[in-house]
């Protein structure tokens, strides 16, 4: 018996089955009579419980902290400890995905950019459709605001295609001071080298085998795979692009981000307002 409810049940059993008094039953079990006589005054908010279950079933990879932020946005004033209790009672705990752990070397701290468009991160994510055809997604993230700037999906993405997509993005968003990527063949191609030289952008390559040096995009790719790619079956390329567009809008506008104080992108300044223009 490790909970007060279990102690009350045990005392009630001794009273009903053996005719013991409350005092004698408490002496036998070694529990406090005040605990047995306590009447709970806890009010179960059914509306809160049902709304939390709805959000949890809609966003199956969100833990109770992000659910707490979303519920507070909707006007539910609830303590995080009480919400966690309900979260456990409803068995909504997110299961950890299995994976082999590898030993990491000494981690050098990464400088955090202090303004939008100061540094972008690029990487690729791979998956497959229901007919086993492979596709790739080019992911672009602003390291300061954590905003997802682009998700480009296709069966093949060359260095020339990457340069063209970046040039289109810069025409509407503005030019970053630095771009960080790994040493993949697409990012080290002549097309990318010529593009970086023409746009006068400082293109930084991380050390081979050190993805931690590009931690922002690696973290984003993990969220993308966990919340969308692993949760969805993709029958065609147009369906993939539509799903990525909807997820990117939700990620930027609604999803709470722990790295920026549980805010979303609507609370972050744009490059024009940050520069005072």
């Amino acid at each position: 018996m490790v909970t007060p409810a279990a102690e009350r049940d045990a005392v009630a059993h001794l009273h009903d089955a053996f005719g013991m008094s409350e005092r004698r039953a408490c002496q036998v079990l070694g529990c406090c009579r005040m605990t047995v006589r306590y009447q709970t005054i806890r009010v179960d908010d059914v509306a809160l419980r049902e709304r939390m279950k709805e959000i949890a079933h809609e966003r199956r990879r969100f833990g109770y902290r992000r659910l707490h932020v979303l519920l507070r946005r909707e006007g539910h004033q609830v303590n995080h400890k009480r919400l966690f209790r309900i979260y456990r009672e409803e068995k909504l705990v997110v299961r950890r995905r299995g994976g082999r752990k590898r030993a990491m070397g000494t981690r050098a701290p990464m400088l955090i950019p202090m303004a939008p468009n100061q540094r972008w991160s690029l990487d690729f994510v791979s998956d497959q459709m229901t007919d086993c055809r492979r596709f790739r997604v080019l992911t672009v993230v602003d390291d300061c605001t954590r905003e997802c700037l682009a998700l480009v999906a296709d069966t093949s993405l060359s260095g020339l295609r990457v340069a063209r997509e970046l040039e289109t993005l810069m025409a509407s968003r503005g030019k970053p001071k630095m771009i960080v990527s790994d040493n993949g063949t697409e990012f080290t191609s002549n097309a990318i080298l010529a593009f970086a030289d023409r746009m006068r952008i400082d293109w930084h390559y991380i050390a081979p085998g050190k993805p931690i040096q590009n931690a922002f995009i690696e973290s984003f790719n993990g969220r993308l795979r966990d919340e969308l790619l692993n949760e969805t079956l993709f029958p065609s390329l147009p369906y993939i692009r539509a799903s990525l567009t909807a997820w990117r809008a939700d990620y930027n506008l609604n999803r709470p981000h722990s790295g920026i104080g549980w805010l979303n992108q609507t609370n972050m300044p744009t490059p024009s307002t940050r520069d005072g223009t």
Side-chain angles (χ1 to χ4, degrees), residues 12-161:
H13 173 71
L14 293 180
H15 179 272
D16 297 336
F18 300 98
M20 287 188 183
S21 66
E22 179 184 279
R23 183 189 300 273
R24 177 58 178 164
C26 290
Q27 289 178 349
V28 171
L29 297 175
C31 60
C32 179
R33 294 178 63 192
M34 295 179 60
T35 301
V36 175
R37 292 186 174 186
Y38 175 77
Q39 299 292 330
T40 180
I41 58 174
R42 179 185 297 164
V43 179
D44 189 10
D45 193 340
V46 179
L48 172 66
R49 186 182 293 265
E50 293 300 322
R51 181 55 184 157
M52 184 181 66
K53 289 167 61 177
E54 291 177 4
I55 299 177
H57 288 305
E58 179 183 351
R59 301 175 179 273
R60 295 189 296 174
R61 301 305 299 177
F62 275 21
Y64 82 97
R65 295 184 184 276
R66 284 194 170 84
L67 294 179
H68 185 221
V69 174
L70 295 177
L71 288 170
R72 288 181 65 88
R73 288 181 186 173
E74 296 181 0
H76 294 281
Q77 298 299 322
V78 56
N79 184 279
H80 71 280
K81 292 180 287 187
R82 179 185 172 200
L83 184 73
F84 181 67
R85 175 180 58 81
I86 300 175
Y87 181 79
R88 294 291 297 270
E89 290 176 358
E90 295 296 334
K91 299 180 179 179
L92 300 175
V93 179
V94 178
R95 292 184 178 180
R96 292 183 178 273
R97 300 190 185 275
R100 190 176 61 142
K101 294 184 178 180
R102 295 175 175 84
M104 304 293 290
T106 303
R107 297 183 177 182
M110 174 177 281
L111 297 179
I112 300 177
M114 302 305 296
N117 272 6
Q118 186 173 344
R119 187 175 68 203
W120 292 0
S121 294
L122 276 65
D123 203 359
F124 286 105
V125 179
S126 300
D127 207 335
Q128 69 178 11
M129 307 181 208
T130 53
D131 58 2
C132 296
R133 286 187 299 161
R134 303 290 299 180
F135 68 91
R136 307 182 75 192
V137 181
L138 171 66
T139 57
V140 186
V141 171
D142 189 309
D143 291 352
C144 175
T145 64
R146 308 298 199 273
E147 180 183 0
C148 175
L149 304 180
L151 292 174
V152 182
D154 212 330
T155 54
S156 177
L157 291 169
S158 63
L160 187 61
R161 173 72 180 280

